Structures are given as C-alpha cells and as structure tokens.
Amino acid sequence: MTILVTGSDGLVGSALRELISENVYFATRKDADLTNYQETESLFNRIKPEKVIHLAALVGGIGGNLMHSGEYFRDNLQININTLEAARKTNVSKLVSFMSTCVFPNEGPYPLTPETLHLGQPHPSNFGYAYAKRMLEVQSRAYRAQWGLDYVVAIPTNIFGPRDNFNLIEGHVVPALIHKTYLAKKEKTNLTVWGSGKPLREFVFSKDVAKITLWMLNNYSDSEPLILTSGTETSIRDLVECVVREMDFSGEINFDKTKPDGQFRKPSSNEALLERLPNFSFTKLSDGVKETVEWFNGNYPSIRK
Ligand code: GFB
C-alpha cells in the first residue's frame, strides 16, 4: 500500500516525514507541476498510490493573498481539480485534502462549523484563495456522491512550525514575526508588527496537524470536513509577546496601523474533533513557537524566505 504525499516539502509535509517513512512517496513540485493535468496523471500512474495526502497548494499570509488573489484562485483550483481527478482515474481509495479556516464566511456565525462554509462571503483579504479552496470541498463531496470515493477534507486553523515560509511580506504571521524579530535583534532596530494587534487567531502546530492527518487517513470517512483546532484564540498582541519572549528580544515594538488587520477573528468548533479524538492534546502555542524558533536559529539562512 503506497501513500502519496503531495506538497511534501512544506510545513505539514516536513512534519509528516518525521512520522512515516515506509510505503510513502513524498512528492514535490520537482515531481510534477500539479497545475498541469498530464504531469499530474503521469505522477499518479508512476507511483500508483492507494492513498493520498494532498497538501500541495499555493498559500500565503495576508500579504501574499492581497498581492496574488488571481494566482491563488487559478493555481489552487487547477491543482485540486487535477489531483482529485488523477486520483479518481488511478483508483486511489482514500484521499485527504486541506482547506483552512480562513475560507469560511467573514462574519461567522461563530463558532465556525462545516455547515456554514458556503453561507457568506469570505474576508476580502483572501477571497481568491478562499473560493478556490471552497471548490475543493465541493469537488470532494461531488466525487463521493457520484463515484462513492472515500475522499475527505481537513480544515486546520493557522498552522505554524519548522520549515514554514518565513518570507517577511508573503509569509503567515508566526513565521514572519519570528523572521522580523530575528532581524530587529541582529540589526538593533524596532520590531514592526502589522495592524492593531487586536485580531484573534487560532494557531495549530504543524506536528499536531500531521498526527491528526494520519489518523484521518486511516479512520475518518465522513463527507463532512473535519476542523482541526484546539479552540483557543490568541490575540496578535499576545502572539508577539510570545515570540519576543522565546527570541529574547527586548527592543521596541511598533504596531503599524497602516497595515491590514484582515479578519478580526475566525473561532472554529472543535466539537467534531473532540468527539473522535477526545484525548488529543494540542501543543501549547509557546512550546510550538519555542521549537520553531530553535529550528529557525539552527537553520538560518537556508530557510524558505
Ligand atoms: O497568518 P496571517 O498573515 O493571515 O495573519 P490570516 C494575519 C494577521 O496577523 C493580521 C497580523 O491580523 C495581521 O495584521 N500581523 C501582524 C501580521 N504582523 C504581521 C506580519 O508581519 N505578517 C503577517 N502575515 N501578519 C490567512 C490566509 O489569513 O490564514 C491564508 O490569508 C491562510 O490564506 C491562513 O488561510 C490560515 O490569518 O489573516
């Protein structure tokens, strides 16, 4: 039984590499450009996987989404259409794919649950990505309905961890703040944080997502997407405190209100997850940040930035 992991050199893929090594093929864009159907199908014909963990996506933080909404819509739509179709045509029995809680309607209702996924506009800061990813849920559900395929969807909150994209402009908030704090410390400058610091986010450590993903691959067959969250909200201001503490930064911190806050909050329900995994213990934010900072300091400057 072979498992194919697409997008395996990213955040969750690198966490998965620490959990599984037998009968698994970790594919990256060097193996196939998944926006091209022929290349996608030939990858599937070559590997002949029985199961797929589909992580490949064009992702970014609020900066990346504001700058690339067209590419994020186009490429993610193509990647998902091609991957699920190639999986179907090569008889993949099980496939787990991923959305994110930023694809939900911008104004709730809260807590976010899968039933509300399509009941309103996503936040304008990432509408291209959000609509492309919502179509992944539609495609997965439609393939299940027509062909009886056991294809399921995970919806993590804001994932962070080692081997993230630490790009200062396009990266997500945790890696961007770690990189910014590193530079502020080195250059003895102030740390500039985007926005007011008031927005709230739910953060989930990449290793926790990898563990739950493997559990879903072998145990989850519902058509309803499964939200992966601890249910704990953290303000950006409190996140900054956590990052500067773990990085031992004592310089000045400025909040640049000319930069966007994005969605104010996106609290999601962990009810379905707790029903299935009542004893799962999520990594504490400070412990995850500490491990990510240690990896960052140990691997700079060869990190993705
Ligand atoms: O992770 P992030 O960029 O994306 O977080 P979202 C943005 C929040 O962090 C905003 C604040 O409130 C920003 O004002 N922030 C503060 C910063 N400083 C920084 C900084 O230096 N860099 C960044 N990036 N933010 C994403 C979606 O939304 O959620 C993605 O855009 C993805 O598509 C992800 O789905 C899970 O949480 O706003």
Side-chain angles (χ1 to χ4, degrees):
M1 178 272 295
T2 303
I3 299 171
L4 168 67
V5 181
T6 71
S8 68
D9 51 356
L11 191 51
V12 178
S14 51
L16 274 172
R17 287 169 188 267
E18 294 179 21
L19 298 177
I20 48 172
S21 54
E22 303 285 311
N23 297 319
V24 55
Y25 186 85
F26 289 106
T28 70
R29 63 182 72 196
K30 291 192 198 76
D31 293 283
D33 171 359
L34 300 180
T35 64
N36 175 300
Y37 184 72
Q38 279 64 41
E39 287 194 35
T40 308
E41 193 172 77
S42 66
L43 170 66
F44 276 75
N45 282 325
R46 183 159 61 85
I47 308 299
K48 296 190 176 24
E50 287 177 34
K51 296 187 176 184
V52 174
I53 298 174
H54 174 39
L55 297 168
L58 197 58
V59 300
I62 190 165
N65 272 276
L66 284 169
M67 289 190 287
H68 303 293
S69 52
E71 291 163 84
Y72 280 28
F73 178 77
R74 176 198 65 201
D75 289 7
N76 284 309
L77 215 48
Q78 287 173 335
I79 286 168
N80 296 329
I81 292 278
N82 293 342
T83 301
L84 269 67
E85 180 60 5
R88 180 188 75 80
K89 287 181 67 185
T90 56
N91 304 314
V92 167
S93 60
K94 178 74 172 209
L95 183 145
V96 184
S97 53
F98 292 78
M99 294 194 286
S100 132
T101 48
C102 75
V103 311
F104 278 91
N106 178 40
E107 259 113 34
Y110 301 133
L112 302 171
T113 61
E115 295 76 30
T116 65
L117 179 65
H118 299 282
L119 299 185
Q121 298 268 350
H123 191 271
S125 65
N126 63 7
F127 77 101
Y129 174 85
Y131 277 117
K133 281 288 189 176
R134 287 190 190 184
M135 290 309 106
L136 171 59
E137 185 277 328
V138 172
Q139 185 181 4
S140 194
R141 187 161 28 107
Y143 276 37
R144 171 184 289 270
Q146 179 169 351
W147 292 297
L149 293 169
D150 186 7
Y151 291 6
V152 297
V153 180
I155 314 183
T157 57
N158 289 48
I159 311 172
F160 73 98
R163 295 180 185 78
D164 201 345
N165 172 6
F166 289 84
N167 183 286
L168 294 171
I169 307 300
E170 305 196 3
H172 287 107
V173 58
V174 173
L177 283 179
I178 289 172
H179 194 176
K180 280 179 169 178
T181 305
Y182 172 85
L183 295 173
K185 201 174 168 188
K186 197 171 90 171
E187 292 150 14
K188 297 187 179 15
T189 55
N190 297 348
L191 168 62
T192 301
V193 178
W194 291 354
S196 67
K198 294 196 180 92
L200 299 165
R201 293 291 184 270
E202 292 175 349
F203 295 105
V204 63
F205 194 44
S206 56
K207 296 188 176 181
D208 295 342
V209 175
K211 287 176 193 163
I212 300 172
T213 298
L214 286 179
W215 176 84
M216 287 182 75
L217 192 69
N218 298 311
N219 301 285
Y220 189 78
S221 293
D222 283 20
S223 63
E224 182 169 282
L226 184 64
I227 293 175
L228 315 186
T229 182
S230 64
T232 308
E233 286 188 289
T234 303
S235 73
I236 298 301
R237 186 175 286 275
D238 287 348
L239 170 68
V240 170
E241 290 305 317
C242 175
V243 168
V244 299
R245 186 174 58 247
E246 294 306 334
M247 295 194 76
D248 192 21
F249 173 76
S250 51
E252 205 175 307
I253 301 170
N254 311 320
F255 286 84
D256 176 359
K257 296 203 173 65
T258 67
K259 290 288 190 298
D261 269 342
Q263 268 180 285
F264 179 64
R265 62 192 296 243
K266 34 185 173 175
S268 55
S269 166
N270 62 355
E271 196 181 317
L273 183 66
L274 288 183
E275 267 169 30
R276 290 162 176 84
L277 293 173
N279 303 317
F280 187 85
S281 63
F282 283 91
T283 304
K284 268 173 56 200
L285 177 64
S286 54
D287 293 341
V289 167
K290 183 180 175 63
E291 189 171 331
T292 308
V293 166
E294 283 165 0
W295 180 86
F296 179 92
N297 288 331
N299 289 275
Y300 198 85
S302 62
I303 57 162
R304 273 194 298 161
K305 53 184 187 296

